[in-house]
Amino acid sequence: MLGLLGRPMSDPRVDAWAQRCGLRPGQLGNIMCNDYGFELDMDSSMTVTSIVLYANEGGGGFSQYAGSLPGGLAFTDTYPVVVGKLGQPLELVGGSGATEVSARYSAPPYELSVTFTTWYKSAEYLARATVHMIAIGLTQ
């Protein structure tokens, strides 16, 4: 899956996923693979910039991603467990009550953003928040 990062839509591997996930030829935009629990984010040149892996979204339309997660993570991991596995994040963003909390990590050549099931950064909320999604991109 990580081999798709930085590849254009014209790459046979990207094109195969686009077809498998229902993107019609000539259609632009991200490749939403709801049944497989992930999406391929594309930039304006239709190159894969990130891969987003989802926990079971229920009403969000995504099945849970069934492959292995980076860093030995599991969707059931809470924020303290993630910190135990990956260390302290470079940055903890969101959490003002308006957006979910995400922890940003750098593991060259990749960047990870682990988003949790809480909108608040307090220790109380983070202690029980589990992994909601993981975005993986190439370092800039």
Side-chain angles (χ1 to χ4, degrees):
M1 184 71 61
L2 294 177
L4 299 175
L5 288 168
R7 303 277 179 187
M9 176 67 102
S10 59
D11 183 283
R13 292 170 290 180
V14 176
D15 183 59
W17 274 112
Q19 290 180 33
R20 191 175 304 150
C21 297
L23 194 70
R24 295 181 307 280
Q27 183 179 348
L28 301 178
N30 294 345
I31 301 171
M32 311 299 278
C33 298
N34 297 45
D35 292 344
Y36 298 96
F38 72 91
E39 73 178 90
L40 301 176
D41 290 341
M42 312 295 278
D43 65 12
S44 60
S45 68
M46 293 306 291
T47 298
V48 179
T49 58
S50 66
I51 301 167
V52 183
L53 311 174
Y54 290 97
N56 188 341
E57 290 293 295
F62 283 92
S63 297
Q64 183 163 301
Y65 178 72
S68 59
L69 302 179
L73 296 178
F75 287 120
T76 55
D77 288 346
T78 60
Y79 176 74
V81 172
V82 170
V83 170
K85 291 179 179 181
L86 301 181
Q88 287 295 326
L90 296 173
E91 183 178 31
L92 196 59
V93 297
S96 61
T99 58
E100 291 177 306
V101 174
S102 294
R104 192 173 65 80
Y105 291 91
S106 180
Y110 306 108
E111 291 181 351
L112 296 178
S113 179
V114 182
T115 301
F116 296 90
T117 57
T118 184
W119 291 25
Y120 300 97
K121 286 184 191 174
S122 75
E124 175 188 352
Y125 283 94
L126 287 171
R128 60 180 187 259
T130 56
V131 175
H132 169 67
M133 65 183 176
I134 301 171
I136 307 161
L138 293 173
T139 54
Q140 302 298 324

PDB file of all heavy atoms in Angstrom, residues 49-65:
ATOM      1  N   THR A  49      -0.938  11.577  -2.570  1.00  0.00           N
ATOM      2  CA  THR A  49      -0.184  12.316  -1.556  1.00  0.00           C
ATOM      3  C   THR A  49      -0.298  11.696  -0.173  1.00  0.00           C
ATOM      4  O   THR A  49       0.578  11.878   0.657  1.00  0.00           O
ATOM      5  CB  THR A  49      -0.642  13.779  -1.483  1.00  0.00           C
ATOM      6  OG1 THR A  49      -2.038  13.805  -1.183  1.00  0.00           O
ATOM      7  CG2 THR A  49      -0.362  14.507  -2.788  1.00  0.00           C
ATOM      8  N   SER A  50      -1.398  10.996   0.086  1.00  0.00           N
ATOM      9  CA  SER A  50      -1.541  10.325   1.375  1.00  0.00           C
ATOM     10  C   SER A  50      -2.525   9.165   1.257  1.00  0.00           C
ATOM     11  O   SER A  50      -3.345   9.110   0.343  1.00  0.00           O
ATOM     12  CB  SER A  50      -1.978  11.293   2.478  1.00  0.00           C
ATOM     13  OG  SER A  50      -3.267  11.775   2.246  1.00  0.00           O
ATOM     14  N   ILE A  51      -2.392   8.272   2.207  1.00  0.00           N
ATOM     15  CA  ILE A  51      -3.292   7.132   2.341  1.00  0.00           C
ATOM     16  C   ILE A  51      -3.937   7.261   3.715  1.00  0.00           C
ATOM     17  O   ILE A  51      -3.231   7.426   4.716  1.00  0.00           O
ATOM     18  CB  ILE A  51      -2.525   5.802   2.233  1.00  0.00           C
ATOM     19  CG1 ILE A  51      -1.811   5.702   0.883  1.00  0.00           C
ATOM     20  CG2 ILE A  51      -3.461   4.621   2.457  1.00  0.00           C
ATOM     21  CD1 ILE A  51      -0.794   4.578   0.807  1.00  0.00           C
ATOM     22  N   VAL A  52      -5.255   7.215   3.753  1.00  0.00           N
ATOM     23  CA  VAL A  52      -5.979   7.342   5.017  1.00  0.00           C
ATOM     24  C   VAL A  52      -6.633   6.003   5.331  1.00  0.00           C
ATOM     25  O   VAL A  52      -7.413   5.483   4.516  1.00  0.00           O
ATOM     26  CB  VAL A  52      -7.034   8.471   4.965  1.00  0.00           C
ATOM     27  CG1 VAL A  52      -7.717   8.619   6.320  1.00  0.00           C
ATOM     28  CG2 VAL A  52      -6.400   9.788   4.533  1.00  0.00           C
ATOM     29  N   LEU A  53      -6.305   5.453   6.485  1.00  0.00           N
ATOM     30  CA  LEU A  53      -6.834   4.167   6.935  1.00  0.00           C
ATOM     31  C   LEU A  53      -7.885   4.426   8.008  1.00  0.00           C
ATOM     32  O   LEU A  53      -7.633   5.174   8.956  1.00  0.00           O
ATOM     33  CB  LEU A  53      -5.702   3.311   7.509  1.00  0.00           C
ATOM     34  CG  LEU A  53      -4.437   3.188   6.658  1.00  0.00           C
ATOM     35  CD1 LEU A  53      -3.354   2.431   7.414  1.00  0.00           C
ATOM     36  CD2 LEU A  53      -4.744   2.550   5.321  1.00  0.00           C
ATOM     37  N   TYR A  54      -9.053   3.821   7.866  1.00  0.00           N
ATOM     38  CA  TYR A  54     -10.174   4.096   8.755  1.00  0.00           C
ATOM     39  C   TYR A  54     -10.512   2.935   9.673  1.00  0.00           C
ATOM     40  O   TYR A  54     -10.488   1.777   9.261  1.00  0.00           O
ATOM     41  CB  TYR A  54     -11.428   4.417   7.935  1.00  0.00           C
ATOM     42  CG  TYR A  54     -11.355   5.744   7.235  1.00  0.00           C
ATOM     43  CD1 TYR A  54     -10.976   5.827   5.899  1.00  0.00           C
ATOM     44  CD2 TYR A  54     -11.668   6.916   7.905  1.00  0.00           C
ATOM     45  CE1 TYR A  54     -10.903   7.045   5.252  1.00  0.00           C
ATOM     46  CE2 TYR A  54     -11.606   8.146   7.269  1.00  0.00           C
ATOM     47  CZ  TYR A  54     -11.218   8.200   5.943  1.00  0.00           C
ATOM     48  OH  TYR A  54     -11.149   9.414   5.311  1.00  0.00           O
ATOM     49  N   ALA A  55     -10.892   3.300  10.905  1.00  0.00           N
ATOM     50  CA  ALA A  55     -11.547   2.349  11.800  1.00  0.00           C
ATOM     51  C   ALA A  55     -12.971   2.207  11.272  1.00  0.00           C
ATOM     52  O   ALA A  55     -13.385   2.936  10.372  1.00  0.00           O
ATOM     53  CB  ALA A  55     -11.547   2.880  13.229  1.00  0.00           C
ATOM     54  N   ASN A  56     -13.738   1.315  11.825  1.00  0.00           N
ATOM     55  CA  ASN A  56     -15.114   1.122  11.383  1.00  0.00           C
ATOM     56  C   ASN A  56     -15.878   2.421  11.541  1.00  0.00           C
ATOM     57  O   ASN A  56     -16.073   2.921  12.640  1.00  0.00           O
ATOM     58  CB  ASN A  56     -15.777   0.010  12.193  1.00  0.00           C
ATOM     59  CG  ASN A  56     -17.133  -0.348  11.654  1.00  0.00           C
ATOM     60  OD1 ASN A  56     -17.751   0.413  10.921  1.00  0.00           O
ATOM     61  ND2 ASN A  56     -17.596  -1.516  12.011  1.00  0.00           N
ATOM     62  N   GLU A  57     -16.314   2.974  10.423  1.00  0.00           N
ATOM     63  CA  GLU A  57     -16.983   4.268  10.422  1.00  0.00           C
ATOM     64  C   GLU A  57     -18.489   4.181  10.616  1.00  0.00           C
ATOM     65  O   GLU A  57     -19.120   5.202  10.818  1.00  0.00           O
ATOM     66  CB  GLU A  57     -16.706   4.989   9.097  1.00  0.00           C
ATOM     67  CG  GLU A  57     -15.283   5.443   8.963  1.00  0.00           C
ATOM     68  CD  GLU A  57     -14.949   6.525   9.958  1.00  0.00           C
ATOM     69  OE1 GLU A  57     -15.514   7.625   9.871  1.00  0.00           O
ATOM     70  OE2 GLU A  57     -14.131   6.258  10.838  1.00  0.00           O
ATOM     71  N   GLY A  58     -19.052   2.996  10.493  1.00  0.00           N
ATOM     72  CA  GLY A  58     -20.502   2.897  10.645  1.00  0.00           C
ATOM     73  C   GLY A  58     -21.207   3.813   9.679  1.00  0.00           C
ATOM     74  O   GLY A  58     -21.210   3.595   8.485  1.00  0.00           O
ATOM     75  N   GLY A  59     -21.784   4.895  10.168  1.00  0.00           N
ATOM     76  CA  GLY A  59     -22.509   5.843   9.343  1.00  0.00           C
ATOM     77  C   GLY A  59     -21.627   6.629   8.391  1.00  0.00           C
ATOM     78  O   GLY A  59     -22.124   7.277   7.488  1.00  0.00           O
ATOM     79  N   GLY A  60     -20.309   6.598   8.584  1.00  0.00           N
ATOM     80  CA  GLY A  60     -19.400   7.332   7.716  1.00  0.00           C
ATOM     81  C   GLY A  60     -19.158   6.668   6.376  1.00  0.00           C
ATOM     82  O   GLY A  60     -18.550   7.260   5.497  1.00  0.00           O
ATOM     83  N   GLY A  61     -19.607   5.441   6.223  1.00  0.00           N
ATOM     84  CA  GLY A  61     -19.513   4.780   4.942  1.00  0.00           C
ATOM     85  C   GLY A  61     -18.288   3.917   4.723  1.00  0.00           C
ATOM     86  O   GLY A  61     -18.192   3.226   3.723  1.00  0.00           O
ATOM     87  N   PHE A  62     -17.312   3.934   5.631  1.00  0.00           N
ATOM     88  CA  PHE A  62     -16.119   3.119   5.459  1.00  0.00           C
ATOM     89  C   PHE A  62     -16.177   1.874   6.328  1.00  0.00           C
ATOM     90  O   PHE A  62     -16.543   1.939   7.499  1.00  0.00           O
ATOM     91  CB  PHE A  62     -14.854   3.899   5.858  1.00  0.00           C
ATOM     92  CG  PHE A  62     -14.405   4.889   4.829  1.00  0.00           C
ATOM     93  CD1 PHE A  62     -14.844   6.201   4.883  1.00  0.00           C
ATOM     94  CD2 PHE A  62     -13.557   4.508   3.809  1.00  0.00           C
ATOM     95  CE1 PHE A  62     -14.443   7.121   3.933  1.00  0.00           C
ATOM     96  CE2 PHE A  62     -13.145   5.425   2.852  1.00  0.00           C
ATOM     97  CZ  PHE A  62     -13.590   6.734   2.919  1.00  0.00           C
ATOM     98  N   SER A  63     -15.794   0.747   5.739  1.00  0.00           N
ATOM     99  CA  SER A  63     -15.541  -0.447   6.532  1.00  0.00           C
ATOM    100  C   SER A  63     -14.221  -0.224   7.253  1.00  0.00           C
ATOM    101  O   SER A  63     -13.466   0.677   6.904  1.00  0.00           O
ATOM    102  CB  SER A  63     -15.414  -1.671   5.625  1.00  0.00           C
ATOM    103  OG  SER A  63     -16.620  -1.901   4.939  1.00  0.00           O
ATOM    104  N   GLN A  64     -13.923  -1.055   8.238  1.00  0.00           N
ATOM    105  CA  GLN A  64     -12.637  -0.922   8.910  1.00  0.00           C
ATOM    106  C   GLN A  64     -11.529  -1.500   8.043  1.00  0.00           C
ATOM    107  O   GLN A  64     -11.680  -2.575   7.465  1.00  0.00           O
ATOM    108  CB  GLN A  64     -12.654  -1.625  10.264  1.00  0.00           C
ATOM    109  CG  GLN A  64     -11.352  -1.445  11.031  1.00  0.00           C
ATOM    110  CD  GLN A  64     -11.507  -1.781  12.483  1.00  0.00           C
ATOM    111  OE1 GLN A  64     -12.326  -1.172  13.176  1.00  0.00           O
ATOM    112  NE2 GLN A  64     -10.735  -2.737  12.947  1.00  0.00           N
ATOM    113  N   TYR A  65     -10.424  -0.771   7.952  1.00  0.00           N
ATOM    114  CA  TYR A  65      -9.258  -1.252   7.209  1.00  0.00           C
ATOM    115  C   TYR A  65      -8.754  -2.526   7.871  1.00  0.00           C
ATOM    116  O   TYR A  65      -8.545  -2.580   9.085  1.00  0.00           O
ATOM    117  CB  TYR A  65      -8.170  -0.173   7.204  1.00  0.00           C
ATOM    118  CG  TYR A  65      -6.919  -0.605   6.495  1.00  0.00           C
ATOM    119  CD1 TYR A  65      -6.902  -0.730   5.106  1.00  0.00           C
ATOM    120  CD2 TYR A  65      -5.761  -0.898   7.201  1.00  0.00           C
ATOM    121  CE1 TYR A  65      -5.756  -1.144   4.441  1.00  0.00           C
ATOM    122  CE2 TYR A  65      -4.613  -1.298   6.545  1.00  0.00           C
ATOM    123  CZ  TYR A  65      -4.622  -1.413   5.167  1.00  0.00           C
ATOM    124  OH  TYR A  65      -3.482  -1.832   4.516  1.00  0.00           O
TER     125      TYR A  65
END
